[in-house]
Amino acid sequence: MTAAGTAPRQFDKTPPAGRGAGARAWTVTALLVVFMMVNFADKSVLGLAAEQIRTDMGLSATDFGLANSAFFLLFSVAGAAVGLLADRVRPKWLLLAMALLWSIAQTPAALGGGLAVLIGSRVMLGAAEGPAFPVAQQAAMSWFPNHRRNLPGALVTLGVTLGVITAAPGLTWVINHHGWRAALWVLAAVGVLWAVAWALLGADGPYRTNTPEAPSTTSGPVSDTAAARPAYRRILGTRTWLGTTLAYFTSYWTLALMLAWLPSYLRSGLGHSPSASANLVALTWVLGGLTLLGQAAVTGWLMRRGVSSRWARGRVGSGLLFIGAAACLAVPLVDGTAAKTALLAVGLGLGGSFAAVAVTTITELAPPARRGGALGTMNATVTTAGLIAPAVVGHLLDTQGETGYQSAIVLSGALLLLGALAALTLIDPARDATRANT
């Protein structure tokens, strides 16, 4: 790490703002959306094939939960390490290496083997995917000034939703007709295809380093030109970083539950058919995706009118978590499959939609020379939820039977409520950026 107070690197020219730069920026953003689609299709495949895998390998719910949790064993460590590395190495090459490693990691379990091979493959895949989200966001943000980052940040995050939406019906068909190992081969091939496209078209943007920012309509933090290289501890110790990370942790817990156990809950807990469950999984993620786009639109509209990011990001984000918490906590209070399914979709869909708020908030808080580390450390902390949640839910199912699904949703609702309160009371990036950078 570079000591605080080191003078930032400067460039002579303002980043290009012409037509060509805009077209390239959106091309790169589109590729990064697809990158995140592949990333979350990889994550969702075990949940979609849960019944087949458990039957094939004779696994208990706890065993299957641990297999899902294994994905996150090195996920957080890799996310933090590569996040720090992204402040020094071009994101283009980091993203290319990650995509190739994803495809390689799928092959051991695709070739055969038992639970040990499956767990080893998922650990390897998790290590390769751990840095994906923060590095992809850093790459996207490098093409846009602060006041234009809400939409690209939301779109890259939307790739998470689109990945599951396309994976749910597509991979379910492959699993039902050709087996779950065939689905792993499909994902490996898609990863290689994306890597080829990125090698040809991917690039780092003009706002990656301490180049001058375009004028912002907000009363936000000091510009990137004036920002030095504060010690990471000053950024990570701010109320905004802590509040954002806690809120995002509770949201990621919800995502992990959706990926590992939502298909099984819909089938075994609520009695939906496999095809209906796949469609309902997609619908839940669609709702989350629409929420992401709506949040980006509202946040951008507020910031263009001079509303502080404390309100535009912190309060809007907390509102989404409050609604998600209320829906999850209401699930045991209603009768009937339809009502429970609707509340489940709203609670998980909105509860899991905090990622774009988190990323744009930390991007505003940290200067460019510290963004990779700040985002990577946040992501590493947050994704420990993925290590814990699947195993906890598996234990609840083995000890409580089908009732365990409902207990898991109530637990998620309580965590979302905590996250909403943290976002509401702690997030203020304009205030904390000034303190961290001076």
Side-chain angles (χ1 to χ4, degrees):
M1 298 180 190
T2 306
T6 303
R9 185 157 56 103
Q10 302 288 341
F11 287 82
D12 294 332
K13 296 197 298 186
T14 300
R19 256 184 177 175
R24 188 66 183 276
W26 291 112
T27 297
V28 171
T29 301
L31 283 170
L32 293 170
V33 171
V34 177
F35 178 78
M36 291 309 302
M37 289 176 64
V38 178
N39 181 285
F40 265 74
D42 288 345
K43 288 183 177 70
S44 67
V45 65
L46 257 63
L48 295 170
E51 305 303 324
Q52 292 89 335
I53 293 172
R54 289 181 62 185
T55 300
D56 185 24
M57 295 186 174
L59 304 180
S60 68
T62 300
D63 291 337
F64 182 72
L66 289 172
N68 275 278
S69 292
F71 177 87
F72 292 94
L73 186 63
L74 298 178
F75 190 95
S76 299
V77 175
V82 178
L84 293 169
L85 188 63
D87 286 333
R88 299 179 178 273
V89 178
R90 291 175 61 189
K92 174 177 178 175
W93 304 119
L94 292 175
L95 292 166
L96 180 62
M98 276 186 266
L100 292 173
L101 287 172
W102 299 353
S103 297
I104 294 170
Q106 301 283 11
T107 55
L111 288 169
L115 180 60
V117 173
L118 177 62
I119 289 176
S121 178
R122 298 302 284 181
V123 170
M124 184 191 309
L125 181 64
E129 293 196 347
F133 185 67
V135 177
Q137 286 284 2
Q138 185 186 18
M141 298 300 170
S142 73
W143 285 93
F144 302 90
N146 181 48
H147 66 290
R148 293 185 59 206
R149 286 174 180 153
N150 294 301
L151 180 57
L155 289 174
V156 173
T157 308
L158 184 63
V160 171
T161 299
L162 295 175
V164 181
I165 290 172
T166 55
L171 290 179
T172 297
W173 184 89
V174 173
I175 291 163
N176 289 338
H177 289 81
H178 302 286
W180 64 274
R181 296 186 196 273
L184 299 181
W185 284 116
V186 170
L187 293 172
V190 171
V192 170
L193 289 174
W194 184 90
V196 171
W198 181 253
L200 296 173
L201 301 173
D204 300 314
Y207 293 96
R208 177 176 167 246
T209 52
N210 293 346
T211 51
E213 289 265 276
S216 173
T217 57
T218 70
S219 56
V222 293
S223 71
D224 289 347
T225 324
R229 293 175 179 252
Y232 282 108
R233 60 180 173 76
R234 297 186 65 181
I235 298 170
L236 307 187
T238 61
R239 295 176 65 190
T240 292
W241 191 90
L242 294 171
T244 302
T245 300
L246 177 56
Y248 190 17
F249 176 91
T250 67
S251 183
Y252 204 92
W253 178 285
T254 303
L255 287 177
L257 187 151
M258 291 170 67
L259 288 167
W261 289 110
L262 179 58
S264 293
Y265 184 19
L266 291 169
R267 288 196 297 267
S268 302
L270 296 178
H272 294 287
S273 68
S275 60
S277 296
N279 291 332
L280 288 168
V281 168
L283 180 62
T284 303
W285 287 90
V286 166
L287 179 59
L290 292 175
T291 302
L292 277 173
L293 292 176
Q295 171 271 317
V298 170
T299 299
W301 180 82
L302 290 172
M303 294 188 72
R304 286 192 299 272
R305 280 153 181 77
V307 176
S308 71
S309 52
R310 176 187 180 188
W311 280 88
R313 287 174 175 150
R315 301 296 169 85
V316 171
S318 68
L320 296 177
L321 296 182
F322 272 123
I323 297 171
C328 287
L329 293 172
V331 167
L333 304 179
V334 300
D335 295 321
T337 298
K340 288 182 180 293
T341 302
L343 285 172
L344 190 66
V346 172
L348 299 183
L350 271 65
S353 63
F354 193 78
V357 175
V359 169
T360 51
T361 298
I362 299 305
T363 301
E364 180 181 355
L365 172 69
R370 291 292 182 253
R371 278 181 193 149
L375 287 169
T377 306
M378 176 185 70
N379 202 62
T381 305
V382 162
T383 52
T384 57
L387 180 64
I388 303 168
V392 168
V393 176
H395 177 72
L396 289 173
L397 291 174
D398 278 341
T399 55
Q400 299 181 14
E402 302 300 325
T403 307
Y405 286 118
Q406 193 161 271
S407 298
I409 298 302
V410 171
L411 175 59
S412 295
L415 288 172
L416 288 173
L417 183 59
L418 177 63
L421 291 171
L424 180 67
T425 58
L426 297 177
I427 290 178
D428 189 348
R431 172 201 65 202
D432 288 339
T434 302
R435 294 177 181 176
N437 295 326
T438 54

